[in-house]
Structures are given as structure tokens and as C-alpha cells.
Amino acid sequence: MPASTRPRRIGMIVPSSNTCLEPQTYRILGVRTDVTVHFTRIPVTRIALDDSSDRQFDPTVMQEAAALLATADVDVIAWNGTSGSWLGPAHDQELAAGISGATGIPATTSTLAYLEAFRTFGTERIGLFTPYTADVNHRVIACYEREGIKTVDHRALGLSDNESFARVTDDEMRPGSLELAAAAPDALVYLCTNLYGANITAEVEDATGVPVLDSVAVTLWHALKLAGAPLLEPRWGRLLG
């Protein structure tokens, strides 16, 4: 007979060229056995401000992926990508509502998770670090400003090939991170779920006193919250514990 109880199950929709978020999510969870995470992929290879890039985030494709996750009886479904940060939060709000309406399962996205974190922690001023091109950063900054979030400074590594983001090293992230923290924002944001920002979160927080919100950790935090599961260890972001 099947067991009457089971771990909480989190379903995640993953950009196809992302090689970070799956291993990083399980690294963050560590030895926990109270939750399991289950992934399905959609085609995403490039981040830019043009129609061919935007079409990668079509809600129909997302809903088809969500329907597959729903067959695993997951407790929450997350689009684990930050596209709503430049397409606009309304895009992701409609996406999450569509997924929930079609599956009956609570849904979120990385962008909605960030907005919930900003509200929860009273974050109004951020330092923004991304692997993206500068024009994508400027679009993110404008979208966040409409949500009441001011970006005091930002760094963009100038990359557009999604697979390349995961090859950014800790050493390449440190200088810009410390420069952004020097502006004393309410939080430093590593925006990209294919960026290993969580690797240096504790180090940067200890060195600067500025809280760090990494996309992989923030998305997992919100998914755990929606699933009614315990949250994260403080080393993955002291605000998320």
C-alpha cells in the first residue's frame, strides 16, 4: 500500500539551457528529506530584448510544462526563470494565475518570489548584479521601479547566451558584488537562475553586512513557503532563513 504521508513536492519549470538551478537547488536543500523537487524544461537559450527572445516565455508553453508537473501531484509549481523582471510582473502574475487555474496547484515565478521577498523584508533599495547585457538591466530597473523598488547601482556582465551564465566564476562575481554592497542597499540581488550567486552569499553578507538575495534561493524560499514547508538555512541568505 502507498504511504499515507509523503514529503512536500515542488515542481519547477526550468530554462532548457540552465545548468545551475537543479544542482544548486538540491545543494541548498542539503540532507533535508521533508521536501523533494521535480523539474521539467522548456526551450530557452538566449536573453535579449527582442521578439525571438520574448517568445521563449510564451504562457502556452509554460502551461504545457506545468501540466506535466501536475501529474506528479506536486504541491506548488514555480517558473524558475527571471524573465518577468524585464517583461513586467503582470506577465508573471497572469502566468501564475493561468497555471493555478489549469492545474489547481499554487504557482509562482522567480520574479514573483522576489517581489514577495521585497515586501516581506521591507526591501526598497537594491544593488542589482546580473550576467545580462546592460539594456536588459535597464529594463529590469524600470520594471522594479514601478513596483516601488529603487536600484541604487547595478552591474551587467554583458552576456546573452543563457548557457554561458553558469560559467561565471565566484572570482568574477566578487568585485562587482563588493562595489554594489558599498552603496549600502537594503539587499544585493543576484538576478538570474543560471548564476551561482548562492555560492558566495554568506561570504558577501559576512564581509559587507548587506543581505543577499540570490534567484535560485529566493525561488526555492517562496516555493517552500507556498508548500507549507520549513524555509532555508541562513547561509543561503540570512533573510530567507
Side-chain angles (χ1 to χ4, degrees):
M1 292 289 292
S4 58
T5 60
R6 60 164 177 77
R8 294 289 185 178
R9 295 176 185 164
I10 295 172
M12 290 186 172
I13 303 170
V14 182
S16 59
S17 52
N18 186 309
T19 60
C20 167
L21 77 85
E22 291 156 311
Q24 192 76 312
T25 294
Y26 270 109
R27 189 172 293 125
I28 292 170
L29 286 172
V31 298
R32 286 179 61 168
T33 59
D34 64 307
V35 61
T36 59
V37 187
H38 310 277
F39 305 94
T40 192
R41 290 177 174 245
I42 64 167
V44 177
T45 59
R46 178 173 162 272
I47 301 302
L49 300 182
D50 58 47
D51 289 343
S52 65
S53 176
D54 291 352
R55 282 195 297 270
Q56 298 173 116
F57 311 111
D58 182 87
T60 302
V61 176
M62 297 281 193
Q63 288 193 23
E64 291 171 353
L68 292 175
L69 289 169
T71 66
D73 191 29
V74 294
D75 297 295
V76 61
I77 295 173
W79 157 230
N80 209 327
T82 54
S83 53
S85 293
W86 60 87
L87 296 177
H91 176 276
D92 278 17
Q93 289 162 356
E94 292 174 8
L95 173 63
I99 289 172
S100 294
T103 65
I105 297 170
T108 189
T109 73
S110 298
T111 297
L112 298 182
Y114 265 120
L115 294 177
E116 177 63 21
F118 296 155
R119 285 189 291 268
T120 299
F121 307 127
T123 302
E124 297 178 347
R125 302 168 66 257
I126 66 168
L128 179 67
F129 187 107
T130 85
Y132 309 137
T133 53
D135 59 341
V136 174
N137 267 28
H138 289 299
R139 183 72 62 82
V140 172
I141 290 167
C143 286
Y144 278 2
E145 187 166 2
R146 288 194 289 272
E147 300 298 316
I149 306 301
K150 177 178 175 56
T151 302
V152 297
D153 199 0
H154 73 102
R155 296 292 181 276
L157 298 181
L159 304 175
S160 57
D161 174 29
N162 194 66
E163 185 277 332
S164 71
F165 302 161
R167 291 187 272 120
V168 174
T169 67
D170 295 353
D171 287 341
E172 290 173 308
M173 294 186 65
R174 284 190 184 95
S177 299
L178 297 177
E179 291 166 3
L180 290 171
D186 296 333
L188 172 59
V189 169
Y190 292 137
L191 189 73
C192 178
T193 64
N194 201 22
L195 187 70
Y196 280 94
N199 285 358
I200 60 172
T201 289
E203 173 189 334
V204 171
E205 289 187 337
D206 289 345
T208 68
V210 174
V212 176
L213 295 173
D214 164 77
S215 292
V216 175
V218 167
T219 307
L220 180 57
W221 166 83
H222 197 217
L224 290 169
K225 195 174 182 181
L226 290 174
L231 302 181
L232 305 180
E233 293 182 9
R235 70 190 177 107
W236 303 109
R238 69 188 192 204
L239 297 177
L240 305 177

